Amino acid sequence: MSAFLGGFAATFLGTLLALQVKGRTGSLAIGFAVTSSAAFIVAVVASTALVALLRPQAPAAVQAGSAAGPRAIMSLCFGVGLYALLASLGLSGWTRSRGTGLTTSIAAGLGVVLVTSMLLGMG
């Protein structure tokens, strides 16, 4: 899932850059898209390391490593990526018009509420 969302965030970033979005709001949207993309990339690498560590057939040297670090990094980066992507999506509409900004902000805000409730329910 991190790989898919990271690809989406990178594509969204590319779109914002190609459209030459200007202004403070556009810069914030671009910044959050970069943060999201980078966080998802780190989450993918951490989840790959976690799979290698937990695999029963892994070499002894690999199995000796702790899974706590990659698990924490993966979870943290996945959360940062989700919230940064939602922030970027919410801000992006304001670069076009007030009405579009309200629509994207409401949709992103609803996304934040739903994501938070699901993440808290899993913990």
Side-chain angles (χ1 to χ4, degrees):
M1 181 179 260
S2 294
F4 171 77
L5 291 173
F8 177 80
T11 302
F12 187 62
L13 170 63
T15 302
L16 291 173
L17 293 173
L19 292 174
Q20 297 180 359
V21 175
K22 304 259 189 255
R24 187 179 197 186
T25 305
S27 295
L28 280 171
I30 288 169
F32 279 118
V34 167
T35 302
S36 176
S37 186
F40 283 129
I41 289 168
V42 173
V44 167
V45 172
S47 65
T48 303
L50 189 60
V51 168
L53 279 170
L54 298 176
R55 186 170 172 84
Q57 296 84 9
V62 173
Q63 287 180 344
S66 172
R71 183 176 286 140
I73 292 169
M74 178 188 66
S75 298
L76 177 66
C77 287
F78 185 76
V80 167
L82 280 176
Y83 289 115
L85 181 58
L86 287 168
S88 183
L89 292 171
L91 287 169
S92 66
W94 292 98
T95 63
R96 183 168 181 115
S97 70
R98 186 173 192 264
T100 305
L102 286 171
T103 302
T104 58
S105 293
I106 290 169
L110 182 60
V112 165
V113 169
L114 293 173
V115 164
T116 302
S117 67
M118 284 185 278
L119 290 177
L120 291 177
M122 289 172 35

